C-alpha cells in the first residue's frame, strides 16, 4: 500500500525511496504506540517516563525531513532538465510535480515553502497508508467470516471486469454495488481512525479550573 502511495506521490525515479519508507514505518509505529503523556499530559512524571518515545519520534521526524529535502531537490532538478512534462516526455505528473509547479507559479500570497511541500507529502503517506491498509484487512476479515457475501462480491467483480487486460475507473464506476456496500459496512464496523481526532494545545490554557499545558494532547 505504501509503495502505491509512493509512486503516486513522487514517482519511481526519486532517490532514497526505500529509506523514506523505512523511516515512515517507524514513525507510524511510534504514533500508534502507547505513551503515558497521552493519558497524563500535565504530569511531569509521565513526561519523564515518556521522554524516550518523544526523543525517538523527533529523531524519526528529523530523518524524514532530511530525506524529503533530498527527494524534493532531486525532483525539482529533474523537472527542470525535462522541461514541461506535458510536452515530450509523456510522463504523468505525480503529486510532487503538482506541488512544485504551484510553488514555482503560485501567487505570492499563497507561496508554498519547501517545508510545506514536505509536510503535505508526509500527510499523504501518514493518512493514506495505515488507514487504507487497516480498512482492507478488516474488509477481507469480514468477507472470510461471511462466505455468501464474499462469493457475491467476487461474482460481481468478475462479471464487470471479465476479459479486460486494463481497467479504467469508468469501467466499474457505479457497477459494483455489493463491493461498495462491503466497504461502507467495514467502515461502519471498524472505523480506521477515532471519531474524535485529538488536538494539540498551542498555548497554556485553563478550562473549568483545569490547567492545560502547552503541547498537551486534547481529545
Amino acid at each position: 500500500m505504501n509503495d502505491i502511495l509512493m509512486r503516486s506521490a513522487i514517482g519511481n525515479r526519486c532517490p532514497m525511496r526505500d529509506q523514506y519508507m523505512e523511516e515512515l514505518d517507524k514513525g507510524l509505529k511510534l504514533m500508534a504506540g502507547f505513551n503515558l503523556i497521552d493519558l497524563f499530559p500535565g504530569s511531569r512524571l509521565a513526561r519523564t517516563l515518556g521522554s524516550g518515545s518523544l526523543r525517538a519520534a523527533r529523531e524519526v521526524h528529523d530523518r524524514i525531513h532530511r530525506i524529503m529535502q533530498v527527494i524534493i531537490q532531486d525532483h525539482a532538478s529533474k523537472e527542470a532538465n525535462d522541461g514541461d512534462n506535458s510536452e515530450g516526455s509523456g510522463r504523468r505528473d505525480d503529486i510532487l510535480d503538482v506541488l512544485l509547479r504551484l510553488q514555482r507559479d503560485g501567487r505570492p500570497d499563497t507561496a508554498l515553502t519547501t517545508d510545506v511541500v514536505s509536510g503535505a507529502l508526509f500527510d499523504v503517506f501518514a493518512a493514506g497508508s495505515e488507514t487504507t491498509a487497516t480498512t482492507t484487512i478488516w474488509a477481507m476479515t469480514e468477507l472470510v467470516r461471511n462466505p455468501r457475501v464474499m462469493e457475491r462480491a467476487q461474482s460481481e467483480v468478475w462479471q464487470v471486469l471479465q476479459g479486460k487486460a486494463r481497467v479504467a475507473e469508468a469501467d466499474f464506476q457505479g457497477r459494483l454495488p455489493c463491493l461498495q456496500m462491503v466497504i461502507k459496512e467495514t467502515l461502519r464496523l471498524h472505523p480506521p481512525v477515532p471519531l474524535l481526532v485529538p488536538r494539540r494545545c498551542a498555548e497554556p490554557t485553563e478550562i473549568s479550573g483545569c490547567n492545560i499545558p502547552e503541547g498537551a494532547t486534547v481529545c
Side-chain angles (χ1 to χ4, degrees):
M1 191 64 65
N2 285 341
D3 187 63
I4 295 175
L5 286 171
M6 178 67 77
R7 294 182 184 182
S8 300
I10 64 175
N12 294 321
R13 60 178 186 166
C14 285
M16 305 184 74
R17 290 177 72 252
D18 295 337
Q19 294 92 323
Y20 186 88
M21 297 303 300
E22 181 180 353
E23 295 300 330
L24 180 64
D25 287 338
K26 293 179 182 178
L28 292 175
K29 290 178 181 178
L30 287 171
M31 291 170 60
F34 173 77
N35 196 319
L36 283 175
I37 299 177
D38 295 334
L39 298 177
F40 308 101
S43 171
R44 294 183 179 180
L45 177 61
R47 289 184 174 275
T48 301
L49 296 176
S51 60
S53 59
L54 288 177
R55 184 168 55 253
R58 292 192 187 98
E59 292 174 354
V60 170
H61 173 271
D62 292 341
R63 288 195 295 268
I64 287 178
H65 183 72
R66 288 194 297 268
I67 292 173
M68 185 52 66
Q69 296 298 314
V70 174
I71 292 176
I72 292 174
Q73 292 174 6
D74 179 81
H75 214 84
S77 62
K78 288 182 178 179
E79 183 182 7
N81 293 333
D82 292 344
D84 189 356
N85 289 329
S86 61
E87 299 178 2
S89 66
R91 185 179 63 85
R92 291 186 177 181
D93 288 352
D94 50 47
I95 296 176
L96 184 52
D97 285 324
V98 176
L99 291 175
L100 290 176
R101 189 176 303 117
L102 290 174
Q103 184 185 52
R104 184 182 66 246
D105 303 332
R107 297 179 303 176
D109 58 336
T110 58
L112 294 178
T113 65
T114 302
D115 288 340
V116 172
V117 173
S118 177
L121 289 175
F122 179 80
D123 287 343
V124 169
F125 294 124
S129 58
E130 194 69 17
T131 53
T132 305
T134 300
T135 301
T136 303
I137 291 172
W138 275 117
M140 296 304 298
T141 301
E142 293 296 341
L143 286 174
V144 170
R145 291 176 177 175
N146 299 272
R148 182 179 59 84
V149 177
M150 181 169 62
E151 183 178 355
R152 180 182 172 187
Q154 287 176 331
S155 176
E156 182 181 76
V157 171
W158 282 114
Q159 184 177 359
V160 173
L161 305 182
Q162 186 175 12
K164 296 181 179 179
R166 302 184 64 179
V167 179
E169 184 176 354
D171 295 332
F172 58 84
Q173 190 171 18
R175 301 175 62 189
L176 299 172
C178 180
L179 184 60
Q180 188 175 13
M181 287 189 290
V182 168
I183 296 173
K184 288 183 177 180
E185 184 67 3
T186 301
L187 292 172
R188 185 186 72 84
L189 293 173
H190 311 285
V193 293
L195 296 179
L196 295 177
V197 179
R199 297 290 188 267
R200 185 175 182 180
C201 187
E203 58 185 17
T205 307
E206 181 179 344
I207 301 177
S208 300
C210 297
N211 294 320
I212 310 298
E214 180 182 355
T217 301
V218 182
C219 295

